[in-house]
Amino acid sequence: MRRAAPIAISIAVLAAVLWPAISPDHDDGFPISNYPMFATARQREGRFHTAIGVTADGREVLLDPWHIGGSHEPMHAMETVRFAVADDTTATLCAEIAQRLDKRRTDISSIEVRTDTLDAVAWFAGNEDPVASVVHSRCSP
């Protein structure tokens, strides 16, 4: 009987370690994870909500998270734009971004809050141009 408990515990631990590798569902459950975000096929194209500065000659300028979301966190900036698109408040967000632009950013003549569709394979091969782009709001600083 004394040997049964350690053997049962060992079998349970071994099963827990092996379960992510043999799980048919590919679900990601804490604390056991099979990391499906890396192990399953993804679409080649992805949609990204963002805000971009545009110069008078049409050149696009990346805005930092502070300008977009009011903090230095990139994820906060991305979620700020995503929520504005979902809530149809992109015009308000565009105006907020315009107010946060530094006086040093005189090269930016307009701001676009938009959704870009990017081809991941092409992007990593050097073509960073969006496959499609939907401008939700445009404003001037």
Side-chain angles (χ1 to χ4, degrees):
M1 195 62 153
R2 296 179 105 200
R3 293 184 62 193
I7 291 172
I9 291 171
S10 296
I11 291 171
V13 169
L14 183 61
V17 169
L18 292 176
W19 179 249
I22 60 175
S23 172
D25 298 335
H26 295 292
D27 60 341
D28 190 21
F30 180 81
I32 310 288
S33 176
N34 61 1
Y35 300 99
M37 69 288 260
F38 302 115
T40 57
R42 298 287 179 211
Q43 295 178 349
R44 183 174 172 143
E45 292 181 354
R47 291 177 17 169
F48 298 90
H49 306 293
T50 189
I52 299 289
V54 182
T55 63
D57 62 357
R59 185 176 50 88
E60 294 182 354
V61 178
L62 295 178
L63 301 176
D64 64 35
W66 169 253
H67 291 126
I68 296 172
S71 81
H72 296 288
E73 295 295 328
M75 291 300 291
H76 178 260
M78 183 187 74
E79 286 296 289
T80 299
V81 178
R82 187 177 71 80
F83 285 136
V85 169
D87 296 341
D88 197 26
T89 57
T90 56
T92 303
L93 176 61
C94 195
E96 290 172 2
I97 294 169
Q99 287 179 342
R100 282 192 286 268
L101 279 178
D102 300 329
K103 300 210 183 318
R104 294 172 283 160
R105 297 310 311 250
T106 57
D107 57 330
I108 297 175
S109 62
S110 66
I111 299 161
E112 293 181 352
V113 178
R114 67 190 200 196
T115 301
D116 289 340
T117 302
L118 300 174
D119 180 324
V121 175
W123 193 87
F124 281 107
N127 181 4
E128 297 179 12
D129 296 331
V131 174
S133 189
V134 175
V135 177
H136 302 285
S137 292
R138 183 177 290 121
C139 63
S140 298

